[in-house]
């Protein structure tokens, strides 16, 4: 059972406000229910949002928490005056003090930036995502020269989510390649990866955790057995040591932490950034 209801009210997608609000609420021992209300870009939609918030307040007998990134001052004032919740205006908290500090008015753009899809950074990020999807799980060995980093590790060690996070958040082209029993029998890296050793970064995982993850996908299989998971993890770690590949365990680390390590330690060394 959730302890609080949190509304995220935005004139755009609301993803930024939801991410920020979730990070803030993670500091508290509560299990909030998050309701994102995106594209609130008219007074009619603000009225609808207020009705929804007030209904929850009446049913739960508790003030909902509201994170908002509404740019329109008229809409914001109506929301604040009429909703039965605790409002946190994220633009008011950060943008207005910055206007004073920088000595200039903000652009007050509503929703997603109209020109973002035409920007160089946006196009590069889309290209990186397409590249990363095409090179997921060793689907293709073509154009590994274009990769910024190549993740290696046993199946289900966290390579795919880390790859996509690096592509979506930082515009990096990431290939990922599973280490399989045939590689362990040869005691060598997959031949396709050898020329790109400087771009390789390894992920490993606790065998017990790996067995649990694999069992969800293929229960009672050799693939998911603890004995096999111990074997694969030990062989993969030994191979990475022999090959001089930097690696870390994904067992207790979030995708964000893994990505930060790659950004700070691997890319500057291997790519000369």
């Amino acid at each position: 059972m959730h302890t609080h209801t949190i509304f995220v009210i935005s004139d755009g997608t609301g993803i930024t406000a939801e991410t920020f609000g979730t990070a803030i609420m993670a500091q508290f021992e509560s299990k909030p229910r998050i309701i994102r209300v995106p594209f609130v870009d008219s007074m009619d939609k603000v009225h609808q949002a207020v009705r929804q918030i007030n209904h929850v307040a009446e049913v739960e007998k508790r003030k909902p928490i509201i994170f908002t990134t509404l740019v329109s001052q008229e809409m914001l004032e109506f929301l604040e005056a009429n909703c039965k919740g605790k409002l946190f205006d994220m633009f008011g908290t950060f943008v207005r003090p910055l206007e004073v500090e920088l000595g200039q008015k903000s652009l007050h753009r509503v929703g997603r930036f109209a020109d973002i899809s035409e920007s160089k950074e946006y196009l590069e990020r889309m290209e990186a995502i397409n590249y990363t999807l095409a090179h997921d799980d060793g689907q293709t060995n073509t154009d590994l020269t274009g990769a910024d980093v190549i993740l290696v590790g046993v199946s289900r060690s966290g390579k795919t989510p880390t790859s996509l996070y690096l592509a979506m958040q930082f515009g990096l082209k990431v290939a990922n390649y599973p280490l399989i029993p045939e590689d362990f029998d040869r005691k060598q890296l997959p031949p396709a990866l050898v020329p790109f050793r400087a771009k390789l970064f390894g992920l490993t995982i606790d065998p017990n955790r790996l067995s649990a993850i694999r069992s969800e996908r293929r229960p009672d299989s050799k693939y998911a057995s603890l004995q096999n998971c111990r074997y694969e993890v030990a062989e993969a770690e030994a191979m990475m040591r022999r090959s001089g590949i930097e690696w870390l365990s994904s067992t207790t680390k979030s995708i964000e932490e893994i990505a930060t390590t790659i950004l700070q330690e691997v890319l500057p060394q291997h790519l000369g950034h």
Side-chain angles (χ1 to χ4, degrees), residues 25 61 85 108 168 183 186 219 253 265:
M25 293 305 298
K61 304 292 190 262
H108 287 271
M168 295 175 71
D183 301 318
R186 291 197 313 268
K253 287 185 167 55
E265 298 182 13

Side-chain angles (χ1 to χ4, degrees), residues 17 20-21 24 65-71 73 76 80 86-101 106 108:
F20 184 84
I24 292 294
I65 296 169
I66 304 153
F67 292 106
T68 180
T69 52
L70 290 177
V71 170
Q73 193 63 32
L76 182 63
E80 189 168 15
K86 178 62 178 177
L87 185 72
F88 293 90
D89 173 17
M90 296 170 67
F91 272 10
T93 301
F94 298 105
V95 174
R96 292 180 186 94
L98 275 171
E99 288 179 333
V100 174
E101 184 65 28
S106 69
H108 287 271

Side-chain angles (χ1 to χ4, degrees), residues 5-9 18 33-38 52 56 60:
T5 295
I6 295 175
F7 282 90
V8 176
I9 310 295
E18 181 177 354
R33 173 179 65 141
I34 297 179
I35 299 175
R36 177 150 49 100
V37 185
Q52 189 176 1
V56 169
E60 297 186 349

Side-chain angles (χ1 to χ4, degrees), residues 19-20 43 91 188 204 237 262:
T19 301
F20 184 84
M43 286 304 297
F91 272 10
Q188 293 179 342
T204 189
E237 291 181 358
I262 294 171

